Amino acid sequence: MKIICIGRNYAKHIEELANERPETPVVFLKPDSAILPKKMPFFIPPFANSIHYEVEVLVKINKVGKYIDAKFAHKYYDEIGLGIDFTDREMQSKLKEKGLPWEKAKAFDGSAVVGEFYPKEQFDLENLNFQLIKNDAIVQDGNTNSMLWKIDELIAYVSQYFTLKKGDLIFTGTPAGVGKVASNDVLIGILEDKEVFQVKVK
Ligand code: ZN
């Protein structure tokens, strides 16, 4: 399986990193080795000085598809979840400056936290609240109603480039509030009223 990630999909997050608002979705990939095994702590990698959390709504693809029309995109997923796109922000900034690929900063082992999945019918996907709690404080508080591109539009867009396969995940971008993690932090993901993951940082 593969993980397709969307960058710069929330205006306030674009502002906080002083990025340009893109004309089309920003897309990058993580390999399956990026998934943090369930119940495992996240170990800050030895090369990293500035690991940031980015909480994101996840979509699990349920069948193969290519050139999917946005109006049929809902047929390609039954479940959604929440996860973290861990990012070495300092390294990413250096790579961006040089116009180099981001993978070392975004796709390293453990960089993809994947929480529980739930049937999409349980939610209003266009008005879905989600939060990241760090050590009892809400640090990110998002709603899918402020996405620049909605889930179905993202599926249509990325499937022009990548054949989607059953089990692929889409990370749909992070809202504002990203920040650094430190050893002993505890990160909890909330989707509406459900706790969907808990990660200890070591
Ligand atoms: Zn992200």
Side-chain angles (χ1 to χ4, degrees):
M1 58 81 70
K2 59 187 171 296
I3 301 170
I4 301 172
C5 301
I6 306 301
R8 304 185 200 172
N9 200 23
Y10 289 84
K12 283 185 186 150
H13 172 63
I14 296 172
E15 285 169 24
E16 74 179 343
L17 293 187
N19 280 321
E20 255 174 58
R21 196 176 170 130
E23 282 168 21
T24 52
V26 172
V27 179
F28 59 95
L29 301 180
K30 291 181 192 257
D32 57 2
S33 50
I35 295 176
L36 184 69
K38 286 232 151 67
K39 307 251 178 342
M40 279 277 288
F42 172 75
F43 289 92
I44 295 175
F47 56 78
N49 301 315
S50 62
I51 295 288
H52 275 202
Y53 51 77
E54 295 188 353
V55 73
E56 311 198 2
V57 172
L58 311 186
V59 177
K60 191 189 273 183
I61 297 299
N62 65 5
K63 62 178 167 189
V64 74
K66 172 89 177 157
Y67 297 117
I68 298 164
D69 196 304
K71 64 176 181 289
F72 301 120
H74 64 275
K75 296 176 189 249
Y76 289 81
Y77 62 102
D78 301 314
E79 292 180 307
I80 62 147
L82 198 68
I84 298 177
D85 165 21
F86 277 125
T87 303
D88 184 340
R89 191 71 69 204
E90 213 174 275
M91 191 196 294
Q92 187 200 21
S93 301
K94 284 184 187 156
L95 293 168
K96 270 161 66 179
E97 257 169 44
K98 293 183 180 160
L100 293 169
W102 294 347
E103 276 75 7
K104 287 193 292 178
K106 282 266 193 197
F108 54 85
D109 289 359
S111 62
V113 173
V114 176
E116 292 301 316
F117 282 87
Y118 299 91
K120 66 181 180 188
E121 289 76 25
Q122 292 184 12
F123 306 102
D124 177 356
L125 297 184
E126 307 257 301
N127 183 20
L128 179 65
N129 287 301
F130 59 101
Q131 296 172 324
L132 187 72
I133 297 173
K134 184 176 102 167
N135 309 333
D136 302 327
I138 297 171
V139 288
Q140 289 191 276
D141 192 0
N143 186 298
T144 54
N145 63 13
S146 32
M147 284 178 158
L148 300 184
W149 289 279
K150 306 290 176 203
I151 290 171
D152 291 358
E153 294 167 330
L154 292 173
I155 287 174
Y157 185 77
V158 299
S159 72
Q160 295 177 75
Y161 301 92
F162 310 111
T163 297
L164 299 181
K165 293 186 173 177
K166 187 175 177 176
D168 287 352
L169 299 178
I170 302 178
F171 277 58
T172 59
T174 195
V178 300
K180 202 168 166 177
V181 297
S183 293
N184 301 317
D185 281 348
V186 177
L187 302 170
I188 293 173
I190 308 284
L191 192 56
E192 290 295 353
D193 52 349
K194 297 180 206 296
E195 181 177 319
V196 296
F197 64 74
Q198 181 174 145
V199 181
K200 291 196 172 71
V201 178
K202 301 256 178 173

